[in-house]
Amino acid sequence: MLPDRFDDDKPHEECGVFGVWNVPDAAALTALGLHALQHRGQEATGIVSFDGQKFHQHRGLGLVADTFGDARVISSLQGPTAVGHNRYATTGETILRNVQPLYADFEFGGLAVSHNGNLTNAMALKRALVRRGCLFQSTTDSEVFVHLIAISLYSTVVDRLIDALKQVVGAYSLVCLSNDALMGVRDPHGVRPLILGRIGGNERNNGGWVLASETCALDIVGAEFVRDVEPGEIVIINDKGVHSIKPFSPASDRFCVFEYIYFARPDSVVEGMPVYEARKRIGEALARESAVPADVVVPVPDSGVPSAMGYAEASGLPFELGIIRNHYVGRTFIEPTDQIRNLGVKLKHSANRAVLKGKRVILVDDSIVRGTTSRKIVEMVRQAGAAEVHMRISSPPTTHSCFYGIDTPERGKLLAARHDVAEMAKLIGADTLAFISIDGLYEALGKAGGRGAQPAYCDACFTGDYPISLSDMTNEAERQLSLLPGQ
Ligand code: AMP
């Protein structure tokens, strides 16, 4: 059984995808790209390469450096094209056969698929496919793509892919590798990110292309950003260059706002906006909305750092590192027993007494999910001698679970689903607690939303407005949605 993800206090994110076309050392570059995307998934990783004749594959549980640190593994993954995946299980168990890229041999050749997101009709599709005789090898929702492509009556890979995509519902960014193309896809609402980059090239060689979840994966391999893959777009990269098709009916853009708040790496640029800048601006807006007399602004590292900087700038208060994070806390180290697991936050964070003693402290974090982290951090700051502790959160209250690929506990476990802000403040032990408002969030990001406007982002975790139907989850979602009277 998996440990409770929110107890081990590690960053829990969705998945990272990466692909590269026409470069020497494609597998090595893919390992580097996956390393830069490690924050999006730490449970497992894999690479599939193609040398023009044969596909080569390697997958492992754990971090990219553990699985691909051995040069012999990388050199066995031959060829100028490769795709990779970092997994944080949002569906399915952590077993090797669930580790992506998924690979299968078809009539048309081989196909490797890396998926970031979550399909909301995968269970229904799987039942129908199993009735038709499809033999599933894994328990991940992503495998339905493989079977839908296999049974499609179309002949080309791209037509089969489109046929499959038209049957799935949910959030997905895909990077696929066939015998003759690297393909990238974003779902019609563009919930999960995917970007296109250019790499290498000289007078004799046109150079290559990169597809990746985030721009931070371009920087590490020395690639240049070209553009975001658009919502509902399929890009097909082959020796002729990049070809784009948009086979879906138009849908509203609903990129996941939580990527800006927490998931994406701060040095990434998403849909034209640097994540770091977005977080700082949210912090500034938070300070304007919920100022309180205080002496110092302290981030909960690392995710609270940029918004705390914005808060400090806007409030004119000093920014100090009052909590120090130990980066060497391994998951296995804190997993074994409940007693050790409860120490988690102390292993990871410690109070910097010199900064906190006698001070009125504003603590800034990006979100409160179950409240465990905040409660422990507030207690730690008080024990270090803080005179007052004011918690400020750079997202609106997380009142609803995500069904689009972000790991959130069921609704009943979300603190904000069961308590108002005053009750939450008491429960986490803070003198005051404030969240940025949904209007303030949209204003900070410079996009429409809040104040009754059609939202530019998917903000379902804060509003319950789910832009993509939840057919699989209907029963579960309804059960969760009905947990609160009147909601
Ligand atoms: P909790 O302790 O359950 O309230 O979790 C809140 C903390 O977990 C915050 O410090 C966040 O940085 C972090 N966090 C936010 N969203 C997630 C997520 N989906 N998975 C894991 N951690 C998260």
Side-chain angles (χ1 to χ4, degrees), residues 5-6 9-13 258 262-263 300 303 365-374 406-408:
R5 291 162 178 164
F6 281 83
D9 196 36
K10 295 263 292 177
H12 294 277
E13 304 170 20
F258 210 57
Y262 171 79
F263 281 134
V300 178
S303 46
D365 202 358
D366 64 273
S367 56
I368 293 183
V369 182
R370 296 195 329 185
T372 327
T373 309
S374 305
I406 289 177
D407 185 51
T408 32

Side-chain angles (χ1 to χ4, degrees), residues 190-466:
V191 175
R192 307 263 69 94
L194 189 67
I195 49 114
L196 174 69
R198 195 94 172 82
I199 184 167
N202 54 38
E203 304 82 51
R204 274 171 292 133
N205 182 334
N206 284 335
W209 297 94
V210 179
L211 288 167
S213 296
E214 293 181 35
T215 60
C216 62
L218 297 181
D219 301 335
I220 194 171
V221 298
E224 260 174 52
F225 174 75
V226 175
R227 63 178 178 86
D228 290 89
V229 174
E230 289 175 28
E233 182 183 14
I234 303 182
V235 290
I236 300 149
I237 300 166
N238 55 27
D239 290 338
K240 294 188 206 122
V242 180
H243 176 61
S244 158
I245 45 178
K246 289 196 169 169
F248 309 107
S249 340
S252 55
D253 288 4
R254 300 296 286 273
F255 179 66
C256 166
V257 75
F258 210 57
E259 292 268 356
Y260 280 118
I261 291 167
Y262 171 79
F263 281 134
R265 224 169 75 164
D267 55 335
S268 286
V269 180
V270 185
E271 302 216 315
M273 192 188 304
V275 172
Y276 180 77
E277 195 185 309
R279 289 186 189 162
K280 273 185 84 176
R281 282 210 241 149
I282 298 170
E284 286 163 21
L286 182 60
R288 286 193 295 272
E289 282 187 355
S290 60
V292 60
D295 303 307
V296 64
V297 178
V298 169
V300 178
D302 290 328
S303 46
V305 172
S307 43
M309 290 172 76
Y311 194 107
E313 258 174 54
S315 62
L317 294 170
F319 169 94
E320 298 285 0
L321 297 178
I323 298 168
I324 305 300
R325 177 168 164 192
N326 184 329
H327 288 264
Y328 307 99
V329 181
R331 184 172 189 148
T332 45
F333 182 44
I334 56 175
E335 250 178 45
T337 65
D338 278 353
Q339 196 195 353
I340 300 283
R341 206 179 294 153
N342 286 333
L343 287 176
V345 79
K346 288 194 188 131
L347 293 174
K348 185 173 167 190
H349 294 120
S350 47
N352 186 358
R353 273 199 180 74
V355 164
L356 302 168
K357 199 163 184 304
K359 301 275 177 46
R360 296 169 299 172
V361 177
I362 294 184
L363 266 181
V364 183
D365 202 358
D366 64 273
S367 56
I368 293 183
V369 182
R370 296 195 329 185
T372 327
T373 309
S374 305
R375 192 169 38 77
K376 289 177 182 166
I377 297 264
V378 169
E379 189 188 332
M380 177 186 281
V381 169
R382 283 206 195 281
Q383 278 173 0
E388 291 172 18
V389 184
H390 303 280
M391 189 88 198
R392 295 292 178 268
I393 304 293
S394 63
S395 65
T398 304
T399 50
H400 291 74
S401 304
C402 178
F403 298 100
Y404 305 138
I406 289 177
D407 185 51
T408 32
E410 66 178 73
R411 190 160 185 231
K413 290 187 176 161
L414 299 174
L415 200 66
R418 290 181 291 128
H419 302 282
D420 64 22
V421 175
E423 286 168 351
M424 289 172 81
K426 268 209 194 106
L427 287 166
I428 65 167
D431 293 286
T432 69
L433 167 68
F435 295 80
I436 190 154
S437 67
I438 194 90
D439 295 348
L441 175 65
Y442 276 99
E443 265 164 42
L445 294 171
K447 285 278 178 80
R451 300 190 202 289
Q454 162 81 14
Y457 297 112
C458 174
D459 56 18
C461 50
F462 309 130
T463 60
D465 169 16
Y466 291 97

